[in-house]
Amino acid sequence: MLALLNGVLIGTSRAVNGQLSTRTGPFRASVWNHVVGFVFLTTVLLVLHTWPNASDVPVAAYVGGVFGAFFVAVNSYVFPRLGAMNAAVLVISGQVLSAVAIDCVQHRTMPAPARLAGVALVLLGLCLPRITAHLRGKRDTEVPTEN
Amino acid sequence: MTGRAVDWLLALAGGVLLTLMTLSNAVLARYTDAVYASWAAHGLGALVALILVVVVRRGRPKTPGDDAGRAPLWYYLGGIPGAFVVIVSAVAVNSELALAGTIALMLTGQVVFGIVSDRLGLLRIPRRRITAMDLLVAGCVLAGSVLIVLGGA
C-alpha cells in the first residue's frame, strides 16, 4: 500500500511541477521543486535529529543532484505536452531500459532471460502505435486491390 | 508529429537521467542514509537548477512565460510530495516487499495515477481521453518493467 502510494506521490509531484512549468518555464520549476524539497527535508532532518556522519563520502556520490535538476526540468517540460500517463510510461521505459543496459556494462554479462523478455515487452509497447498505424495503412492500401 | 517525437525522446532521456540519479544517490545513501542523500541531492539540485535558469536567461534575454505571479501557491509545492517519496520508499523497502516489489508497485501506482489524472483532469492538468491503444501501450511497458525488476540480474 505504501509503495503504491509512493507511485501516486511521484505522479503528484511531477504533475504539480509540470503545471508550474507552464507558468514559469521548466528550469524555474526545477529550482522551486528542489528548493522546497530541500527546505522540507532540512526540517525533517532537524526534527528527527538524524544527521548522519558524512565525512568520508566520495564527492562523486553527490552528482545525483545534478541529474535530478536536469530530470525535473526535462520532465516538467514534457509533462504538459504528453499528458500524465504518456509521460509516466515513457520515463519508466527510459528508466528500466537504461538500468538493464548499465547492469550489463557493469557486470559484463547478458541479462537474465526474464529481463530480456521484459525489455522486449517494453520495446513492443513503445512501438505499438507505430506498428498498428503501419498495419492499418497497409490494410487500407491493400483493400482496393483485393476487391 | 516531429515535435511529438522530440517530446517522446526527451521523456525517455528523462528516464535515463533518473537511472543515473538513482545510481549516484544510492551510493550516497549507502555512506549515509536515504533522507540525508535526498536532502543533499535536493540542495545541490537547487543550485544546479538555479545556474541553469541564469544560463538559459543569458542565452535568451526575454523570458516569455514571466506571468509567474498568477501561478497558485500550490504550484510551487511539487517538491514536498517529491521529498516524501524518499521517506516512504525507505519504509517500504525495509518492509516484506523488499526492493523489487517496492519498485514494481511504485511503477504501477505511477501509471494508474497517470491514467486517472489524465481522465479526471486532477491537479488542473488538461483532461485527455485515454484510448484502448494508450492502455495497451501502458500495459506492455508496465508488464515489461515488472519483468525486468523481478527478473533479477
Side-chain angles (χ1 to χ4, degrees), chain B:
Chain B
M1 200 59 201
T2 39
R4 198 167 164 76
V6 172
D7 291 342
W8 268 60
L9 287 177
L10 272 175
L12 285 170
V16 178
L17 282 172
L18 212 48
T19 303
L20 295 173
M21 183 190 86
T22 312
L23 215 57
S24 134
N25 282 352
V27 175
L28 185 53
R30 210 178 307 139
Y31 277 93
T32 56
D33 64 45
V35 180
Y36 174 84
S38 177
W39 172 79
H42 274 88
L44 203 69
L47 213 66
V48 172
L50 208 60
I51 295 170
L52 282 174
V53 167
V54 173
V55 169
V56 170
R57 194 201 268 160
R58 188 169 295 170
R60 229 181 333 165
K62 256 180 76 182
T63 40
D66 247 0
D67 47 354
R70 270 181 275 151
L73 178 68
W74 62 270
Y75 275 25
Y76 291 92
L77 300 182
I80 290 184
F84 256 114
V85 169
V86 186
I87 299 167
V88 179
S89 333
V91 177
V93 170
N94 289 323
S95 72
E96 69 261 43
L97 279 174
L99 184 61
T102 303
I103 296 175
L105 283 172
M106 272 168 66
L107 299 182
T108 310
Q110 278 178 65
V111 172
V112 171
F113 182 71
I115 292 171
V116 172
S117 51
D118 270 338
R119 237 349 251 279
L120 304 177
L122 292 183
L123 300 166
R124 285 210 221 154
I125 64 172
R127 267 189 212 206
R128 293 176 72 255
R129 270 167 55 103
I130 302 289
T131 61
M133 175 58 75
D134 287 336
L135 289 178
L136 216 55
V137 170
C140 276
V141 168
L142 196 56
S145 303
V146 170
L147 264 181
I148 290 172
V149 170
L150 301 178

Side-chain angles (χ1 to χ4, degrees), chain A residues 95-112:
Chain A
Q95 221 178 332
V96 292
L97 293 178
S98 61
V100 171
I102 288 173
D103 273 354
C104 263
V105 173
Q106 275 190 339
H107 302 297
R108 291 164 191 243
T109 49
M110 281 296 285

Side-chain angles (χ1 to χ4, degrees), chain A residues 6 19 26 32-33 37 39-40 45 48 53-55 62 64-65 67 71 88 95 106 117 124 128 134-135 141-142 146:
Chain A
N6 224 356
Q19 292 290 65
W32 280 105
N33 171 75
V39 171
F40 177 73
L45 282 170
L48 297 178
N53 174 25
S55 51
Y62 284 98
F67 294 125
F71 167 73
Q95 221 178 332
Q106 275 190 339
L124 173 72
L128 217 50
H134 188 70
L135 287 178
T141 52
E142 274 170 7
E146 275 169 12

